[in-house]
Amino acid sequence: MTWLGLIVGGLIGLAFWGWRAAFVLAFLGWLAGVIVASKRAPKPTATTAPIAPMTDRDRIARLEKSLASIELRLSRLEQSSPSPLGEGRGEGPRELLGPAPISEPSPEPAPPPRAPSPPNPLIAWITGGNAIARVGLLILFFGLAFLLKYAADRDLIPIELRVGGVAAVGIALLVGGWRLRHKRAGYALGLQGAGVGVLYLTTFAALRLYHLLPAELAFFLLVAIAVLSAFIAVAQDSPILAAFGAGGGFLAPILASTGGGSHVMLFSYYLVLNLGILAIALFKAWRGLNVMGFLFTFFIGLAWGLRYYRSDYFGTTEPFLIAFFVLYVVVAILFSWRQATLSPALPQGGGRILLVDATLVFGTPLAAFGLQAALTRTMEFGLAWSCVAAAAFYLVLAAMLRKSRPAMAMLAEAFLALSLVFITLAIPLALDARWTSAAWALEGAAIVWFGIRQQRRLARAFGLLLQIGAAVAYLWALSSLRAETPIVDAPFVGGVLLAIAGLWIARLFERHRERVTKGESGLVPFAFLWGVGWWLFAAFNEVDAFVPYRMRLNADIAVLAGTALASSLLALRLRWNVAAWPALALMPALALCLASGAVSRPHPFGDYGWLAWIFAIAVQVWVLRRNADETPPGYGSVLHTGTVLILAALGALELHWLAAEYTARGTAWSVAAVMVVPALLVLAIASRGMDDRWPVAIEPRAYRVGALAPLVVALGIWVIFANITHDGRSDPLPYLPLINALDLGHVLAALAFAWAWLGVRRRPNEFPRGLASRKSGVVVAALAFLWLNGILLRSIHHWGSIPYRLEPMMRSVVVQAALSIFWTVLALALMVAATRMGRRGVWMTGAALMGVVVVKLFTIDLSHVGGVERIVSFIGVGLLMLVVGWFAPVPPRRAEVRT
C-alpha cells in the first residue's frame, strides 16, 4: 500500500500540476499508504496463539487414535473380567466404554516473542495518535502555500485580504492547539506546529511577495514567531513541534518564492530561524532539530549560490556564512554540554550518552569550507587565509573546552583535530598539488599509525580523512601536471604515494585488529582496494602518456599481470589473504581485456601482444597453483574454468587472424582456424592422461563440466555456422569432399565430441551427465546430418557451378534430386543398422526421414523438378525403399520388465 500511494500520488501530481506537485502528492500518497497499512495490520494478542486449521490428515490421525484407545479398553475388559460386563468391579459399561480421552502430543514450547524493533520516528509520529489529522495538517500546509502562490500569480483576491485570512487561520490553529494541549496532546501538537508554519509562511509572503510590511516590522514578527515556537516547544517538551515549526519556517520562502527578492532578506530570515534553534539548544539537547536546521540552512544556501551568486555579492553573503558557521558550532557545543550534564545522572548500565554530535561537529566545517571555497575562488590566497582563521578558531575552542568539565574532553579533541585539519589544508593552497597529495597521504598514514599506538580514535579518523583530501588534491591538479619523464613524473609519483599510504593503512588495521574498533578492522579490504586502485590508476595513466595507442591494451595487460604477480608474492610472504585479491582478479580482468580488444584488435599477439599474453597466462597459472589457499570456496573453480575459456578465445582469435592474413581472402582456412584451439582443449581435458594430473585432477568439475560444456556447445555452433555460411573453398588447393579446410575442421570437431563421450563413459561423475544422454545424441546426430548435407551441397556448388546460397540451391533440380536420393540412402543406412542392432528408436528415425523424402517427392520434386532429374529422384528413392523393406524390417519392441 505504501508504494502504491507513492506512485499514484506522484503520477496524479505530475499529470495535473507539474513536478512540484508530483513530489508533494507522492509524499502524501506514501503517508496515506502507511496509515492504511497500519490500520489493516492484524494485532496479535498476548494471551492467545493463532490456531492452525486442521487438515484431513490430522482428522484421520485423530480418529485412528480414538479407535485404538477404544480397542485397548475392550481387550483389557475381556482379559480382566470373565463375568458379565461390569460385574464384580462396580464398573458399568458407560464407564469403560465411555469416550476415551484423546491423547495428543504436547506442543513444543514456543520461543519467546522477539521484541519488536523500534519504528522509524517519522512514521511513528505520523501513524501514532490521530494519524488522519496529522496528514490533514500537512495537506493543509502545502495547500495554503500553493494557494498563496496561485493567488499571487493571478491577482484573484485583494492582497490584504488573502494574507490576513491565511494569518488568521494560522493564529486559530495555534490558539486551538494550545488550549487542547492538556486534553489531547498529540492532536494539539499537530495544530500548533501547523499554526507556526503558517505564520512563518504568511509573514514572509507579506514581506517579499506583497511588500505589505516594512523590513523592520517583518523582521520583528519573524523573531517573535521563532521565540514563540521555541517557547511552546520547550514548554511542552516536544521536539516534533519544534521541528514542525522550524521546518515550516524553512519551507516558507521556497514554497512562496517567485524567483526574485533580496538575498540579504532571505539570509536574514534564515538567521532568525537558526537563532531560534540556538535558543532551544540552551534548554534541550534535541539533536534532530539541530541537524534539520543545519541541513536546511546549508543546502538552501548551496542551491541559491549555484543559481544566483556573483562575485560582487561577496560582501553581503560572507557575513551570513560566517554567522551560520559560528552558530552551528555553538549549537554543537551546547548539545555536548547538555548531554554531559545528563551523563552523571545515569545509573550504571542505564545506557550510553552521545556526547558529541559528529554530524554537526564535522559537517559544519565541511559545508562551510565548501561554500567558502566557492566565494573566494577568485581571490589569491583567500581560501588559505580562511583555513588559517578556522584553524585558530578551533584551536581556541579546544583550549577553552579542555579546561571545562572532563566530559567535554572528547569534543575538545575533535576541535583540536579540526584545527590540525585546517592548518594542513592551508599549507598546500599555494603549493604544487603533487606535494600536497604526497604529504597528505603519507601524513595521514602516519597519523593512523600514531592513533593505533596511542589508542586515539579521532586521530585515526583524521588520518583516514586525509587520504580522501589527498585524493581530491591529486585529481584536482592532475590536468595541470605534466608527464615528462616516465616513472619519475609528477602524476605517477603522486598516484604511487597515494597507493602506498592506502596499503600501509590496510596493513596497520590488519595487524592491530585487537587495538582498533570493529568498524576500523572492517575497513581493511576497503583500504587495500583503495591502495591498489590508486596504483592501477597511476600505472594506466602512465601507459596512456608514454605508450603508443596501438600498444596500450597490451601494456595494460602487462600491468595487470605484474600487479597480480606482486600481490600473489605479497600474500604468500606476509600470509595476508586480502593481499591476494588482485591476483585472484586477474582472470576476470584478462577476460575484459580480451573482450574489449576482440572488435578493435583482431590480432591479439600483434604489437608485442604475444609477450604480454604469454606473461599474463604464465602469471595466471602461477596464481592457480600457488594461491589456492587464499581462494574463496567455489571461486577456484571459476578461475580454472575462466582460464581455459580465455585460452580458447585467445587461440581462436589469433589463428583466425593468421589464416585470414596468410591465405587467400574468403577461403575456408580462416573459418576452420577458429575451432582448432577449442577442439584441442576438449581433447586435452577429456583425455585419460589428465585424469590424475594437475590441474584437472584437483578441479575435475571445473574443467570437465564448467569448461568442457561451453567448448562443446561452441563447437556445435561452429558446425552450424560453417555449413550455412561457407562453401568450403580452400585455395590454393582444389575442392575435394572431406579433403578441404572446412571438412577437416569437422573431422577435428567430431574427434572432440567422441573424446568427450568416451570420457563420460570412463568417469561419469566428472563429466556433464547430459553429454551421453539421448538428447545429446539427438543433437549430435542433427549436427552430423547438417554436415553431411553440407558436403553434398558444397560438392554440387563446386562441380555443378550452382551458387552456394539458399534460393539458388532450392531452385536447382539437380540439388532437389540429389537431396532426395541422399536422404534415402541415409535413411536406408539408419534402418539397416537399427535392424542389426535391434534399436527400434533408430529405425523409427530412419523411417521418419524416409517419410520426409516421400512427402518431398510429391510436393516439391513432382511439381518443380522435371526431365531426367525427376525420373532419377523417383526411381532411385523407390528402389532404395524396396531395399529397406527387404533388409531392414522394423525391430520388435523390447519386452517390458514388470515389477
Side-chain angles (χ1 to χ4, degrees):
M1 285 300 296
T2 56
W3 291 108
L4 179 62
L6 175 72
I7 296 171
V8 172
L11 291 178
I12 293 175
L14 180 62
F16 291 99
W17 296 287
W19 285 106
R20 180 179 296 183
F23 285 114
V24 174
L25 291 181
F27 175 66
L28 297 179
W30 174 77
L31 293 181
V34 170
I35 295 170
V36 173
S38 66
K39 298 299 182 183
R40 290 184 177 180
K43 298 181 180 180
T45 59
T47 57
T48 60
I51 302 175
M54 184 176 291
T55 63
D56 292 338
R57 182 175 298 178
D58 297 334
R59 295 189 183 95
I60 294 172
R62 187 170 183 176
L63 182 59
E64 289 176 350
K65 286 185 178 181
S66 300
L67 292 175
S69 177
I70 293 173
E71 291 176 356
L72 179 61
R73 287 171 176 264
L74 286 174
S75 63
R76 288 179 179 175
L77 178 63
E78 293 173 354
Q79 293 174 5
S80 62
S81 178
S83 58
L85 189 61
E87 193 175 4
R89 286 181 177 256
E91 297 176 350
R94 184 177 302 275
E95 295 174 340
L96 288 173
L97 297 179
I102 300 172
S103 61
E104 295 185 4
S106 60
E108 296 182 359
R114 293 180 58 184
S117 57
N120 181 280
L122 175 62
I123 297 177
W125 179 79
I126 292 173
T127 59
N130 196 331
I132 303 299
R134 295 180 178 180
V135 174
L137 290 171
L138 287 175
I139 296 174
L140 174 64
F141 178 76
F142 283 107
L144 289 173
F146 292 136
L147 175 62
L148 282 178
K149 186 73 166 59
Y150 181 84
D153 294 338
R154 292 165 176 80
D155 281 333
L156 297 180
I157 305 173
I159 296 175
E160 295 81 4
L161 181 59
R162 80 177 74 136
V163 174
V166 174
V169 172
I171 294 172
L173 290 173
L174 186 60
V175 173
W178 179 258
R179 297 189 63 178
L180 292 175
R181 68 187 185 280
H182 298 302
K183 296 179 181 179
R184 300 180 63 181
Y187 190 84
L189 288 175
L191 292 178
Q192 295 172 67
V196 170
V198 169
L199 290 178
Y200 273 130
L201 174 67
T202 308
T203 305
F204 191 83
L207 171 66
R208 283 193 54 188
L209 298 181
Y210 312 122
H211 308 288
L212 299 178
L213 298 176
E216 296 79 7
L217 179 58
F219 188 79
F220 172 78
L221 290 176
L222 292 174
V223 171
I225 296 171
V227 172
L228 176 63
S229 62
F231 171 77
I232 61 177
V234 173
Q236 298 173 88
D237 196 22
S238 174
I240 283 293
L241 177 58
F244 203 99
F250 280 108
L251 286 174
I254 299 174
L255 296 174
S257 174
T258 60
S262 168
H263 65 281
V264 175
M265 188 63 66
L266 175 68
F267 292 145
S268 300
Y269 168 74
Y270 280 139
L271 182 60
V272 173
L273 286 180
N274 284 299
L275 288 174
I277 294 175
L278 177 63
I280 294 176
L282 291 171
F283 305 96
K284 298 291 182 180
W286 289 342
R287 182 173 181 269
L289 177 64
N290 300 338
V291 174
M292 185 193 73
F294 164 73
L295 294 176
F296 264 119
T297 300
F298 283 100
F299 276 110
I300 291 174
L302 176 63
W304 177 88
L306 292 175
R307 188 171 182 181
Y308 299 110
Y309 179 74
R310 301 194 304 265
S311 58
D312 54 339
Y313 284 171
F314 178 81
T316 54
T317 53
E318 178 72 5
F320 287 107
L321 178 58
I322 296 174
F324 291 137
F325 168 71
V326 175
L327 188 146
Y328 276 100
V329 170
V330 175
V331 168
I333 295 173
L334 291 176
F335 175 83
S336 295
W337 177 73
R338 294 292 305 175
Q339 294 293 83
T341 58
L342 295 176
S343 57
L346 280 177
Q348 187 172 1
R352 180 174 177 268
I353 289 292
L354 179 66
L355 292 178
V356 175
D357 185 352
T359 302
L360 289 183
V361 170
F362 296 103
T364 299
L366 180 63
F369 181 78
L371 296 177
Q372 182 72 1
L375 294 180
T376 60
R377 64 180 180 272
T378 59
M379 303 178 184
E380 187 177 7
F381 304 118
L383 193 57
W385 284 113
S386 300
C387 290
V388 172
F393 174 72
Y394 277 116
L395 187 62
V396 171
L397 288 179
M400 294 173 59
L401 292 176
R402 291 185 69 88
K403 297 179 180 180
S404 63
R405 62 182 64 195
M408 301 290 286
M410 186 180 298
L411 183 63
E413 291 182 2
F415 285 161
L416 180 61
L418 287 172
S419 176
L420 295 176
V421 167
F422 280 107
I423 290 175
T424 307
L425 285 173
I427 295 173
L429 292 174
L431 300 178
D432 194 309
R434 76 186 117 172
W435 301 112
T436 300
S437 60
W440 283 0
L442 296 180
E443 179 185 355
I447 291 175
V448 170
W449 171 78
F450 174 79
I452 293 175
R453 294 290 302 270
Q454 298 294 324
Q455 293 292 299
R456 299 281 185 176
R457 185 182 303 179
L458 286 177
R460 299 195 295 268
F462 178 55
L464 294 176
L465 287 175
L466 276 181
Q467 303 305 309
I468 300 176
V472 172
Y474 175 79
L475 294 175
W476 185 275
L478 184 62
S479 60
S480 62
L481 299 179
R482 295 183 179 180
E484 298 176 349
T485 306
I487 307 301
V488 296
D489 56 289
F492 182 74
V493 171
V496 169
L497 290 176
L498 282 169
I500 291 173
L503 295 176
W504 184 16
I505 290 174
R507 186 58 178 166
L508 286 172
F509 282 156
E510 173 72 22
R511 292 188 62 187
H512 301 284
R513 287 182 178 270
E514 71 284 352
R515 305 186 68 179
V516 299
T517 64
K518 186 177 181 180
E520 289 172 331
S521 62
L523 292 176
V524 170
F526 298 100
F528 181 81
L529 293 177
W530 173 272
V532 172
W534 280 114
W535 153 250
L536 292 177
F537 179 86
F540 290 154
N541 189 66
E542 200 77 351
V543 168
D544 292 342
F546 295 104
V547 177
Y549 179 78
R550 68 180 187 278
M551 301 173 61
R552 287 179 185 175
L553 180 61
N554 296 327
D556 290 341
I557 292 171
V559 168
L560 292 171
T563 303
L565 180 60
S567 73
S568 173
L569 295 173
L570 192 66
L572 293 172
R573 183 174 183 83
L574 300 179
R575 300 182 181 275
W576 191 13
N577 290 341
V578 175
W581 286 4
L584 300 179
L586 177 61
M587 185 277 294
L590 293 179
L592 290 176
C593 291
L594 185 62
S596 64
V599 178
S600 60
R601 299 181 57 83
H603 180 28
F605 279 10
D607 296 320
Y608 296 98
W610 61 272
L611 182 61
W613 277 108
I614 290 176
F615 174 53
I617 296 300
V619 172
Q620 178 62 23
V621 173
W622 164 276
V623 170
L624 292 177
R625 197 171 187 113
R626 299 299 299 273
N627 293 103
D629 294 338
E630 291 84 9
T631 306
Y635 185 60
S637 300
V638 176
L639 293 181
H640 284 271
T641 300
T643 303
V644 174
L645 297 180
I646 287 174
L647 285 173
L650 184 64
L653 285 173
E654 185 61 26
L655 286 183
H656 178 270
W657 181 87
L658 288 173
E661 186 72 14
Y662 294 103
T663 60
R665 184 177 181 84
T667 62
W669 296 106
S670 60
V671 178
V674 173
M675 50 78 59
V676 173
V677 174
L680 293 177
L681 287 173
V682 171
L683 293 173
I685 292 171
S687 66
R688 185 185 299 272
M690 296 302 297
D691 289 348
D692 301 316
R693 292 184 181 179
W694 187 91
V696 177
I698 64 168
E699 289 284 354
R701 299 284 295 176
Y703 286 91
R704 290 177 167 172
V705 176
L708 188 67
L711 292 177
V712 169
V713 171
L715 290 176
I717 295 173
W718 177 87
V719 170
I720 298 173
F721 174 80
N723 283 281
I724 292 177
T725 61
H726 211 280
D727 60 2
R729 182 167 59 92
S730 304
D731 298 345
L733 301 178
Y735 177 83
L736 291 173
L738 293 179
I739 307 177
N740 59 80
L742 203 63
D743 290 333
L744 289 176
H746 281 79
V747 171
L748 183 57
L751 287 176
F753 289 142
W755 218 252
W757 181 79
L758 291 175
V760 176
R761 299 292 299 271
R762 185 178 70 254
R763 295 203 173 192
N765 294 330
E766 295 181 2
F767 287 83
R769 294 181 179 179
L771 200 60
S773 66
R774 180 176 298 179
K775 293 181 179 179
S776 297
V778 171
V779 173
V780 173
L783 293 175
F785 179 72
L786 177 64
W787 176 31
L788 294 175
N789 280 274
I791 294 175
L792 174 64
L793 296 177
R794 285 190 290 271
S795 300
I796 296 175
H797 161 68
H798 285 283
W799 296 340
S801 300
I802 299 175
Y804 195 74
R805 297 194 304 274
L806 180 62
E807 184 180 357
M809 284 283 177
M810 292 299 100
R811 285 191 288 103
S812 170
V813 294
V814 175
V815 170
Q816 294 298 337
L819 286 176
S820 297
I821 295 176
F822 182 62
W823 289 358
T824 306
V825 171
L826 288 179
L828 173 61
L830 285 174
M831 297 169 77
V832 170
T835 301
R836 293 187 177 183
M837 295 185 299
R839 302 291 296 273
R840 185 181 177 87
V842 177
W843 191 93
M844 296 301 293
T845 302
L849 181 58
M850 187 69 73
V852 171
V853 173
V854 172
V855 173
K856 178 179 178 296
L857 284 175
F858 288 95
T859 58
I860 298 178
D861 295 20
L862 186 63
S863 58
H864 296 89
V865 179
V868 178
E869 291 83 3
R870 177 190 299 176
I871 298 172
V872 171
S873 296
F874 275 78
I875 292 178
V877 171
L879 290 175
L880 288 173
M881 292 182 70
L882 291 176
V883 173
V884 170
W886 177 263
F887 290 102
V890 57
R893 295 180 182 271
R894 294 186 180 181
E896 295 183 3
V897 180
R898 299 184 182 273
T899 58

